[in-house]
Amino acid sequence: MQNIEKSIYKIITGSGTGSGFTISGNNHIITNYHVIEGNKSVAVEDYKKDRFVAKVVMVNRDVDLAFLFIEGYENKEVGITLDEDIEITNTQKIFINGYPFGMPYTVTEGIVSSVSQPMGNRHFIQTDAAVNPGNSGGPMLNEAGNLMGVTTSKFTDADNVGFGIRHLDVIKEIKDFISTDNAYHVKCNSCDSYTIEESEFCVNCGSDIDISLFEEFEKSHFANFVESTLVELGMDPVLGRAGRDFWEFHQGSAQIRIFVYNRNYLFATSPLNKLPKQNLQEVMDYLLKDNVSPYSLGIYNNTIFLSYRTHLSDIYSDHADEIKENIKNLALKADELDDFFVDNYGCEMSIAAKV
């Protein structure tokens, strides 16, 4: 399982994070439908923390699966494999792979509690391995790196009870989806055909389709305000999303975070550098100088931060354009200052830096 991490991705939307993965010989990233629900483009982050915009090209809400496509991406990794003939048995070891709570890649181990647990109108793999929010859409693997299932849910108030979509259901979705375009396809489970135009009915068999499957979540005024600022920075705002009303991205080496603070403030901040072992007094003297206005420099947990705060009501005022400029310039200033503290005071980059 040494190359497995390279085949597993963090999926990031305006609603939160999940996991996804690729299968050897297939260029689509597989995840849960509920991870990308309400989005037709999402951010995908690989093991090197590089981010890409991925289009949602297939959704099947009934099975809770979705396929993503990154323009120009070719899956060259030999990691996770599919085998229709693998035998899955109760008490067999199973490994949950993914990004729980949006944290770095992790693996948890458990056993198969049930190979075919009925819930609703489908059967699922049940496991006692740790499954947490953010694991959804990640692969369940055996020791050889074969796909056993796709992590989909857990009981909220129960320990050691997680569920996954069976590998045979995933194989069927892969075999059924043969497309030469990158449009958004909604699958009809009555006839296994796909509809790409917004419709209440399957174009092939006439079965009902929930029109909401074609709709994207509406963004708040605050989200539109922040994302228009990211566009001015020259980036696709999809790449900056890290959750509801929260953005996190790198400008050069510096990590930038933008979010609502205390329900009343727009807060933009960047963890720049660790405090140095030496020359501490010199660093403190510099930090106490008011030379980065309208921003402030501060220390939290031995890390130097550059920050900017304004009341949310200000984005509706005549100062809106000025606030946008301040946010944009904070990102540029952070990328300048983290190098400044390294060169002049011997500080290390923060743990959040991209180096």
Side-chain angles (χ1 to χ4, degrees):
M1 296 179 63
Q2 292 182 347
N3 292 322
I4 295 301
E5 182 180 357
K6 296 180 181 179
S7 299
I8 302 174
Y9 299 84
K10 183 189 295 184
I11 312 298
I12 307 160
T13 75
S15 301
T17 64
S19 301
F21 62 98
T22 53
I23 294 293
S24 294
N26 189 293
N27 291 331
H28 289 125
I29 295 173
I30 301 168
T31 188
N32 287 148
Y33 167 74
H34 77 261
V35 168
I36 57 82
E37 182 178 4
N39 297 274
K40 293 184 179 177
S41 294
V42 300
V44 172
E45 183 176 287
D46 66 13
Y47 71 104
K48 296 183 291 185
K49 295 186 179 180
D50 291 328
R51 287 192 179 184
F52 308 89
V53 175
K55 294 181 179 179
V56 180
V57 294
M58 194 287 292
V59 297
N60 186 338
R61 183 167 64 183
D62 289 352
V63 185
D64 196 21
L65 286 175
F67 294 166
L68 315 179
F69 176 78
I70 300 173
E71 190 71 41
Y73 170 76
E74 184 178 354
N75 181 19
K76 298 180 180 179
E77 298 298 335
V78 181
I80 300 170
T81 55
L82 275 179
D83 183 355
E84 292 184 72
D85 299 322
I86 62 169
E87 183 179 6
I88 302 176
T89 60
N90 288 342
T91 72
Q92 178 182 350
K93 276 188 179 181
I94 191 168
F95 299 89
I96 308 299
N97 296 256
Y99 293 85
F101 303 106
M103 297 189 304
Y105 169 73
T106 61
V107 182
T108 56
E109 177 185 342
I111 63 167
V112 175
S113 305
S114 173
V115 297
S116 190
Q117 182 68 264
M119 288 198 308
N121 61 349
R122 307 194 69 84
H123 288 82
F124 295 83
I125 291 177
Q126 181 180 330
T127 178
D128 70 344
V131 173
N132 293 292
N135 279 128
S136 290
M140 295 175 153
L141 304 174
N142 64 16
E143 291 177 286
N146 297 129
L147 185 73
M148 300 171 70
V150 179
T151 307
T152 187
S153 66
K154 65 167 290 185
F155 286 151
T156 304
D157 297 321
D159 293 327
N160 305 323
V161 183
F163 300 95
I165 302 161
R166 298 180 304 173
H167 76 295
L168 292 177
D169 293 330
V170 181
I171 290 172
K172 173 173 170 49
E173 295 305 309
I174 292 173
K175 287 183 174 180
D176 285 353
F177 187 65
I178 301 172
S179 175
T180 57
D181 62 57
N182 297 319
Y184 180 83
H185 298 73
V186 174
K187 187 175 185 181
C188 170
N189 285 289
S190 296
C191 66
D192 287 343
S193 65
Y194 300 91
T195 299
I196 60 174
E197 299 293 336
E198 185 173 325
S199 173
E200 295 181 4
F201 307 99
C202 172
V203 295
N204 183 57
C205 71
S207 294
D208 290 344
I209 295 178
D210 187 342
I211 198 69
S212 69
L213 290 168
F214 294 94
E215 298 172 353
E216 293 190 82
F217 290 148
E218 186 176 351
K219 291 186 295 184
S220 66
H221 176 80
F222 174 70
N224 284 318
F225 179 87
V226 171
E227 294 198 348
S228 65
T229 307
L230 302 189
V231 170
E232 292 183 14
L233 270 172
M235 67 177 291
D236 189 322
V238 171
L239 294 175
R241 295 173 187 165
R244 189 171 299 280
D245 290 340
F246 180 44
W247 293 261
E248 186 176 272
F249 58 93
H250 284 90
Q251 179 69 31
S253 54
Q255 186 190 71
I256 312 300
R257 303 169 184 168
I258 304 171
F259 52 92
V260 174
Y261 175 72
N262 202 26
R263 298 185 179 182
N264 288 311
Y265 293 94
L266 182 160
F267 207 85
T269 187
S270 176
L272 300 174
N273 304 83
K274 299 177 183 177
L275 286 175
K277 303 294 185 183
Q278 308 294 329
N279 304 320
L280 191 57
Q281 185 61 53
E282 294 179 29
V283 173
M284 292 299 183
D285 290 342
Y286 181 86
L287 295 179
L288 290 172
K289 294 178 181 177
D290 185 19
N291 55 4
V292 292
S293 181
Y295 315 114
S296 60
L297 287 166
I299 299 170
Y300 179 74
N301 282 348
N302 290 320
T303 299
I304 301 169
F305 279 79
L306 178 72
S307 301
Y308 172 74
R309 187 184 72 171
T310 188
H311 199 275
L312 282 179
S313 62
D314 293 338
I315 70 175
Y316 298 92
S317 72
D318 294 338
H319 301 290
D321 288 339
E322 178 186 344
I323 293 169
K324 281 187 178 182
E325 195 68 17
N326 288 340
I327 295 172
K328 182 174 69 174
N329 288 333
L330 177 135
L332 300 174
K333 187 68 174 178
D335 188 35
E336 170 193 320
L337 279 175
D338 60 1
D339 291 324
F340 170 82
F341 283 113
V342 170
D343 295 338
N344 290 274
Y345 299 104
C347 298
E348 295 180 20
M349 291 287 192
S350 79
I351 194 171
K354 185 176 182 181
V355 293

